[in-house]
Each structure stands twice: as C-alpha cells, then as structure tokens.
Amino acid sequence: MADALPRPAPEPVSPRHSLRAAWAVAALAFVILWQWGEPVADWAFDYPRGWEIPVKRWIGDFMKWLLEEASFGLFSFTDLTRFIADVIDVPYRIALSLLSTGFLRGQGSDAVQVVPPLPWLAVIGIVGLLGHAAGGLRLAMITAGCFLFLAVFGQWENAMVTLASILIAVPIGVMGGLLLGILGHRWRWFEAAITPLLDLMQTIPIFAYLVPILFLFGFSPTAAVIATIIYALPPMTRVSMLALRSVPSEVRDLGRMIGCTRRQMTWRVLVPSAKPDLMVGVNQVIMLSLNMVIIASMIGAGGLGYEVLAALRRLDIGTGLEAGFAIVALAIALDRLSQAAAARKPVHAEPGAARQPLWARHPYSAASLVLIAVTAPLALVVGWIESYPAALQISTGSFWAETMKWINVNFFDQLEAIKNALLLNVLIPVKRFLLGLPWPGVVGLLGLLGYTLGGRRLALTVAVLAFLIAATGQWEKAMITVYLCGISVMFAALIGIPLGILAAERERAGRVIQVVIDTLQTLPSFVYLMPAVMLFRVGDFTAMLAVIAYAVAPAVRYTAHGLARVDPQLVEAGTVAGCTPWQLLTKIKLKLALPEIMLGLNQTIMLALSMLVITALVGTRDLGQEVYIALTKADTGRGITAGLAVAFIAIIADRLISAGAARTRARLGLQR
Amino acid sequence: MPDTPAPADTAVTLECRNVWKLFGPEAQGFLAGQTAAPGLEAIRAAGLVGAVQDVSLAVREGECFVIMGLSGSGKSTLVRCMSRLIEPTAGEILFNGENLLAARPDRMIEIRRHRMGMVFQHFALLPHLTVLGNVAFPLEVRGVARAEREARAREVVDLVGLAGREGFFPRELSGGQQQRVGIARSLAGDPELWFLDEPFSALDPLIRREMQDEFLRLQAILKKTIVFITHDFDEAIRLADRIAIMKDGRVVQIGTPEDLVMNPASDYVAEFTRNVVRAKVLKARSLMAPLDAETLPEGTADVAASATVAEIAPLLSEGAERLRVLDGSGAPVGLIRREAVVDVMMRG
Ligand SMILES: Nc1ncnc2c1ncn2[C@@H]1O[C@H](COP(=O)(O)OP(=O)(O)OP(=O)(O)O)[C@@H](O)[C@H]1O
Ligand SMILES: [Mg+2]
C-alpha cells in the first residue's frame, strides 16, 4: 500500500558539519519560540482565523454548483449521478431479493412477496459447493461452517443483506479497477495522472468521501455500495497496472507476432496471463469491501454493519459483538474462498470428457441447480427448509453482556487503575506537549528533517503539506491525531517488533504468530473497537487500544521478514567471530533488518491513521471526529478538508520514513 | 539439414540492409547526425546502447540461417527488428522484396498473421489455454472457425509428437514438451518465414539434443525458411546451412559451418571453432581431389559430396584407399584419398 508510493530520489546532501550547525540553530530557535514566544508571537500558537485559506467554503460551493448547475450539455451532473445510482441499483435489488427479501410486487408495507428468497439450506449448500470446487472438502467445510454459524446465531437475515451488497460491489470494483489499470497500462500519461490520485485515495480516511457521496446519492443502500466500490477500487487499479506490467515481454511479443489487434492483445493475451496476480487484487477488493460494511451503514447500508453501528451507539455490547462475529465469519469464508480460487490451477479433463452430457461436464453448477430446484418448492411447505428454525437459534448476546458485567464488577478497579495510570503518565502529558508546540516551529523542523533525509524536494513537500494543515485551521485537531497515532504506533512497535523477532528466531512460535497475524488482518477494523469499548468505555485510551490491535500486524510481519532476509553468510561470519546469540541479534541481524523494520513501522502508521478516524465513534477529539461530525451534518467542505489533513499527515510520515529507510539501506550497502 | 545447401542463386526471402537499433533517448537524431557509421565508443558516449549496428544479411528461401552470438550481442534485438516487433533505428528490412519498415500497421498484422511464425526462448505459452487451445490460438485470433482451427491444430500437435496431450495445460508439461507446443503453435498458420529465438536454451542438455533432432526432422519435412537464434556454437553447426556470428551488435562473419571452421575471419570466430571436431563439419566436397588423375579400381565405394568426413571414415576402416564422390544428381565429381581423411581425423 503505502510503500508503493513513489519517492523523490535523494539529492546529494550538503556536507555533514554545516547540516549539523543548521540543526543546532533550528533547535535553538525552536526552543526560544516555544518557551518565550507566546507573548510576542501569539499567531505562532494559534493560527489566526483571518489568515485561513477558505478551502471548506470553496469545496462546499463547488458541491453546490455540481448539484445545482453543472451540466454536460445534453444532461446535467445530477442526471449522471442518478444514472449511476440506477445502474447499480438494479443488480443490487435482484441480489437482495434473491438472498433476503424475495421478489416483491407493490411498494412499501403493502408489498406482496411473489417469489420467496433462496432457502437458507440452498445458500449453505451452494457455498459449500463453491468451497469444494475451489479448494476441496476442507474448504467446503470451512465455508459451509461459516454460513451455518450465521444461521445458528440468528444473523442470517442481516448477513444476507450484507452479502448482497458485497456481491454487487466486488464485481464492479474489480472490473472498474481492472479497466482503470488497463488504461494506465496502455497510456503512460494516464498512469502518471491517476497515481497521485490513488495515493491520496488510499491515505484519505474513508469517512471523508462518504460526505460527498451522501451529498450526491442520498442516504441509501446504493450510496453505500458506491462508497464501498470507491474504497475498494484503488488497490485493484494498482494491482492491475502492476500485474499487466509484469507479464513477460515474450508473451507480449507472441501476441504481436500472431497479429493480435489491440483488444485481442488486452483481453486474450495480457489479462489471462496476468490472472494469478490479478486475483490478489480481487481478494483485496473483497476484504476491503467487508471492511467497509460497517462504515457504509452510516450512509444507508443495512445488514450486519448497521447492526454493529447501532449497537455501538447504544453501547449494547452483546448485540454488537454477535453481529461483529458474523462479519468475521463472512470475511473468513469469502477470504478463504477467493484465495483458494486464486491458487487453483487448471487441470486437464479426462479424454472423452467432451462427449459426456452437459451436467457431467459442469458438476458444480448442475448440483447447485438441483439443490435449488429441490429446496425451493419444499421450502414453501416445510418451514425449517425455508429459514433456520428460531427455536434452535443460539443467542450469545446476553452471555457477552453478563461476562462484561462480571469483568467490570470484579476487575473494575484494576482496569480503571491501568487506564488512569497510562492516561496520567503518558497520554495526557504527550498531548499537552504536542498541543503546546508552535506550528511554525514544527513546520520548520519537519522541513529540515526532510532536507536531511531526502534533499530539497522532500523538504519542500513536507513543509508545504504541514503548513497547509495549519492554514486550513486544523492544527490543533491534527496535533491530537498525531498524538493518538504516535502513542499507538509506539505501543504497537513495542509489542510488534519483539513478536517479530520471536517469530523469526523460533520456528514454532513463528508459525503460531503467523496464523494469528493472518487472522487479525482478515478482521474488519470495527471488530477491534468493541472489546476495547466494553472494557474501558469511550475515550482516548479505548481508541488507543483499538488502534494498537489493528495496526500491530505489519510491525510483526516486516520485522520477521527483515530478519529472515539477513544474509546468512553474515550471520555465520558473526558466529565464527564468537558472537553470543544476543550479540548476533543486536549487532548484526537487527542492524541489517533496520530498513525493513522501518517500512513495517510506516505501514503501521498508515493503518493506525485509518483506524484512528473510525475511533472517532468512541469520542476522540481529533481530525477523525471532525470528519465524523461533517458526515452527520452532511457538510462536504468540512469533511473533505479534515480528510485531506489526515492524508497529509500520512503522506508526510510515509515520505520521511521511506527516505530514512532508503538512506539506511544505502549506508548499509543493501540493495532491494 | 537439407542435403544440399541452398545455392547462392535461390531467391532471397528476407534481407536486412544496414540495420541499426540503438536503445536510448534521441537515438534516431543521433544516428541521422553522423556522417560515417559511429563506433562503439561514440555510441556509448552519447548514452545509447548499440544493440544492433549496421547489420546487412540475406536469408535465402528454404535455408536455415542461424544467428549465433554470446549473451547481449544483440541477437534477440536483431530478430525482433526483422519482424518489426522492435522498430529499427535505421536501415531497411525487405521481406520478399517488400520494405517492412514502410508497411502500415494493418499490413504488418496481415504479414505476421499469415507469413511469419515465431518460437520463444521461454515458450510464451498462455497458462489458461490447453495445448490445443494454445496451438489454435493464432488461428483463433485471425478468426478461423472453431472446427477448422482445431483440426489444423491437431495436425500440428501430431506433427511435433504431442498427440494425446491436446487437453493438457502448459504447467502439466515438461519443458521439452512445452517447447514442442510453442513450435506447433508457430507452425499452425503455416508460415513462410520461421523465427526461433533460442528455442532450446532453457532446456537441459539431453532434452536439447533430442529437440535438435526433432527440429531437423521437421525441417526435412517442411523445408521452411528459418532464422534460428542460439548462443551455442555446437547447436549452430548442427542445424545451420549458414551462420552469422554476432559480437557487440555487429555481424563479424557470415558463412557455412565449414567456412567458419576452415577460414575464421577473426580470432574471435576462431575461438569458437577451436574445439569443433572438424570431421563432423568438413564435407566430402571440400576434401576431394580431381577425378581425372587416376582410374579407380573396381568396387570403389561412393559417397555423397555433402557427407561429412565423420560419416565417410567408417568406409575407409574396411581397407579401401580411395572413395568416389558423387554430387546431388549422382554424377561422379571427385575422389577422396585415405590420407586426407586420416589427416582431418588426427587433427581433431
Ligand atoms: N529495451 C531495451 N532498452 C535498452 N537496452 C536494451 C533493450 N533491450 C536490449 N537492450 C540491450 O541491447 C543489447 C542486446 O540485447 P539482446 O537482448 O538483443 O541480446 P541477446 O544477444 O539476445 O542476448 P541473450 O542471449 O542474453 O538473449 C544488450 O546490451 C541489452 O542490454
Ligand atoms: Mg535473447
């Protein structure tokens, strides 16, 4: 994700001593301004309102213009959005009818069901068949098991609503991303044009573009599907461009040699050859769409996401957790399914297969059809075939609520003590410190850091982005974001790096950690929020815990990976030289793995920022909250401006760390 | 290898005239601005890579023309210039007299579809198609109906000895089998000019040998005009009617295997030929003496003028002192003395 961002080439750095002098002077100036500047230079601590760039208003006006006046001659912009909404709405209605509501005649509460939805048994059967087709019996058990879980725990209805929107969003997202990727592959200028946009889309928090979507498409499931598509599209585009580019040049030559037209070249040669890589993108689209489920329910998606969100809002932990688990079950089933489908290799048919009847050549489709044909009529008469019997449903909601109550009754003091100790000794002091810094000083120091690490261009990028945050009047909220993100990343590193070391050094532990990390990464971000809220209620501390849990994975993964990649000859050399294992680790391996670990931290920061915005739901006071408020008020200008500020923080961190990692790598003489 | 090398007066199928390919920015302008052909240093100084420099050669109808050179000598670039997969920086490519560089894109598609075939070093098979699908693919692209193209594909699949594997996918085949698919595919459209870019380099030595035999067998049946790229001099000697040796983008010598072995143009060429077993390259024709000097005893064995010394030697081991040499039409053209053969065999 973020380490695919293009980086400016490091320019030659000025001689060391003059740079050191510059740092000394800058630090001195900074301290003076910070300690004694307030009475004389008030503006440095509180960006004056009069100087603000009215970006919010501009964006707001622009949106208004779009809605009320923009026109392409034959049709207006609103016609276009309505058209897009309709194009998505039709297949969505069909999927929803099939899985959840049945096909209706009439409107609203007078509607009569003409055709019922698919019986739950048929859906589970089909999912199991899909699993078997993609990955054999084991996968069939997993997928069918996950869906059975949905039925048993009473989440079937909601899960099918969610599944319907995923079933629509994923193909559109995949196709859209692929098409953009193809265009980018065909025309260099197009790639150059969309790459920065993709960078921005991946760093801007999701909430920020919910606002304009809400504005353009209204509060509806369709708007939610559109938001999901937009969210899941950039990685697919990136993956597509990469996959198409890595098709061997010989295959390309083959296409031209046999006289393919341009279209044949794209669809018959390049795309099929790139399919294994493209499937990675498909898996990403599925996972991102699921990740979006809860957030999308803020602008009209129903189903599991809405359930979680509503429960979270009224702090009904039991219900929220149940729906959350259901999302996880859905995520696991779809993730494993798409991964198995991606890994599947074609196998030749037995000779004579062509002469077999149609059903024998397509056994899975045939079995699915038979399943539907048998269960659908039966469902009309036998209740338990149509829907899972309510009497057999298990509700764990009260169990979770009871458990929580028990923990809170018995361990309240201890939990509270931990929370307060950390708040008082770490969180609050850091927050005070950051909020007290003068913005011109911070901008200047960031610029100098950029210059030291990467030269003039990086210095300029970093300083300008930081200044823009101040100039749009968001400095204070940005600092709170930085503080929450910084502390979370620090804890994530403190937990993740040792775990990564453990995973690299001890094989068995490594396997366990790998499985845990993989599972953690399939979980939608909201899932992390719930246990934290249950134990510590709303506030910064809770947000921090959720962010740590969500963002720790890359720290572990990159550390383990970096250590595993250290040249074994160097380790042997160290052993021969008589290093103790501890010396080997600290003096050789960690030193050489440092660039990789830095990239892991970079990823951790990116994940932390994206999670941080979500934690606005539990009452933080940062940029995330700003976006969230904008969403509830449908204030596009405010939402996008705050979203951009988060993106700027992400870009600043990414560029600085990447430049630092590149420098370290160069110093160590490592090539990537 | 056909029995007689294509004589010098057969038609030329493909001709390169002063072909240049320089990689790098502004290559065209650089070349146009030169009065004389620039040397390696000048090209490098301009920040360009001289992949193909001033190459002129003619491939005659029905011959197997091998381009041989070490890695990076520009063979792939040259062969891609010939089919215009790479646009040459300067020069002319004449295909049956037509200047390919002046052909419009649709004309180029037409020529490639119907008259050229190419085999690739790493096979370039499409992973999602079966053997039959891959072989029929060129026909499919040009819109041949399914039944017809599959029938034709089956024919060539049989020809390369893969009958029974039509339904397999590439990854289910060994390297040698995969390249057989590549060969079958390049032949499906019945091309006039057949390019092979290091077709056997990615294979193990034993398989490579087997595939070379297969190639000779096919060529004996098909008699295509062939441009064959290799970096293996032994392979070149085995397969070629004529060989062009490339070094740093230039052709340093063109000639029959015999020419190269007997009269290397430079130390560079001599370096390749040094370890070649001469008896396997030298033909009876170049070893024979005039026929008129003496009368041959009754029962003197006959040999073809195109037979190699290694093939003749066993006849002499039965005690004969002389052999009579016949040309392609069976007329006696010379005689070979035992001493001459022994001399070649002794020198290795
Ligand atoms: N697209 C390109 N851009 C720049 N230089 C290139 C390009 N393609 C090839 N070259 C250079 O041109 C020279 C000739 O390359 P070419 O691939 O033709 O060699 P080759 O004889 O086929 O070698 P090999 O046996 O390794 O395939 C090499 O120095 C190569 O680096
Ligand atoms: Mg090559």
Side-chain angles (χ1 to χ4, degrees), chain B residues 21-24 48-52 68-80 86 121 197-198 201 229-231 246 248-249:
Chain B
K21 179 65 202 183
L22 306 182
F23 286 108
L48 303 172
V49 180
V52 172
M68 188 261 150
L70 298 182
S71 184
S73 57
K75 310 175 300 285
S76 295
T77 310
L78 177 58
V79 78
R80 280 167 174 73
I86 292 179
Q121 179 172 0
D197 184 6
E198 303 209 25
S201 299
I229 310 289
T230 181
H231 64 236
M246 283 189 81
D248 297 333

Side-chain angles (χ1 to χ4, degrees), chain B:
Chain B
M1 198 159 35
D3 251 9
T4 48
D9 56 357
T10 46
V12 169
T13 300
L14 185 88
E15 188 177 355
C16 299
R17 286 189 192 156
N18 309 98
V19 172
W20 289 80
K21 179 65 202 183
L22 306 182
F23 286 108
E26 306 293 329
Q28 202 124 30
F30 166 78
L31 207 55
Q34 303 284 321
T35 44
L40 257 181
E41 269 69 51
I43 294 172
R44 208 166 287 156
L48 303 172
V49 180
V52 172
Q53 298 170 42
D54 203 14
V55 168
S56 296
L57 53 83
V59 183
R60 299 187 199 119
E61 191 180 329
E63 82 170 326
C64 177
F65 190 94
V66 172
I67 299 173
M68 188 261 150
L70 298 182
S71 184
S73 57
K75 310 175 300 285
S76 295
T77 310
L78 177 58
V79 78
R80 280 167 174 73
C81 284
M82 289 177 175
S83 55
R84 234 180 123 195
L85 286 177
I86 292 179
E87 202 68 35
T89 314
E92 278 177 71
I93 312 273
L94 300 175
F95 180 50
N96 290 327
E98 176 183 355
N99 185 3
L100 286 188
L101 300 188
R104 292 153 52 93
D106 49 342
R107 173 70 187 150
M108 232 20 252
I109 287 190
E110 175 75 17
I111 291 177
R112 291 198 192 117
R113 279 187 177 180
H114 295 276
R115 300 167 71 181
M116 291 176 171
M118 184 154 176
V119 180
F120 297 89
Q121 179 172 0
H122 301 287
F123 322 139
L125 300 181
L126 298 178
H128 65 296
L129 296 179
T130 61
V131 168
L132 201 66
N134 265 294
V135 174
F137 190 61
L139 302 175
E140 190 182 344
V141 161
R142 56 164 117 143
V144 177
R146 188 188 180 105
E148 189 183 330
R149 66 170 188 255
E150 290 198 342
R152 169 66 187 158
R154 268 175 220 287
E155 239 169 69
V156 262
V157 169
D158 278 358
L159 187 67
V160 299
L162 279 180
R165 303 276 158 130
E166 288 88 350
F168 281 56
F169 286 91
R171 60 168 196 96
E172 299 176 301
L173 301 175
S174 70
Q177 288 172 325
Q178 292 192 31
Q179 193 57 296
R180 281 169 197 262
V181 179
I183 289 175
R185 178 178 61 191
S186 68
L187 290 173
D190 196 19
E192 217 177 299
L193 180 56
W194 195 19
F195 296 110
L196 298 100
D197 184 6
E198 303 209 25
F200 309 140
S201 299
L203 305 175
D204 293 337
L206 277 182
I207 313 283
R208 194 181 306 166
R209 185 102 195 153
E210 186 187 317
M211 293 295 287
Q212 289 167 1
D213 291 336
E214 179 76 17
F215 173 80
L216 288 172
R217 182 180 71 79
L218 283 174
Q219 175 58 357
I221 306 171
L222 303 168
K223 305 215 181 345
K224 300 272 178 209
T225 307
I226 294 170
V227 176
F228 189 109
I229 310 289
T230 181
H231 64 236
D232 175 355
F233 193 68
D234 292 329
E235 184 168 83
I237 296 257
R238 273 197 89 195
L239 308 180
D241 292 320
R242 290 193 302 145
I243 300 174
I245 295 196
M246 283 189 81
K247 175 175 188 275
D248 297 333
R250 291 178 183 274
V251 169
V252 292
Q253 188 174 5
I254 302 181
T256 62
E258 232 175 332
D259 284 343
L260 296 185
V261 173
M262 300 313 290
N263 310 306
S266 65
D267 291 347
Y268 185 75
V269 181
E271 194 61 29
F272 286 114
T273 61
R274 204 170 49 190
N275 294 326
V276 173
V277 180
R278 274 161 182 65
K280 288 188 176 171
V281 178
L282 273 189
K283 303 271 167 69
R285 175 178 286 121
S286 34
L287 211 62
M288 68 189 182
L291 197 57
D292 49 25
E294 45 199 308
T295 46
L296 290 167
E298 273 302 296
T300 306
D302 291 335
V303 294
S306 61
T308 62
V309 172
E311 287 161 354
I312 299 171
L315 297 173
L316 293 170
S317 67
E318 284 148 24
E321 285 296 321
R322 307 267 187 281
L323 297 171
R324 191 165 57 166
V325 182
L326 309 179
D327 67 7
S329 58
V333 287
L335 65 85
I336 288 181
R337 297 197 178 81
R338 184 189 182 88
E339 306 86 73
V341 174
V342 170
D343 187 42
V344 171
M345 302 287 285
M346 295 298 283
R347 275 193 291 151

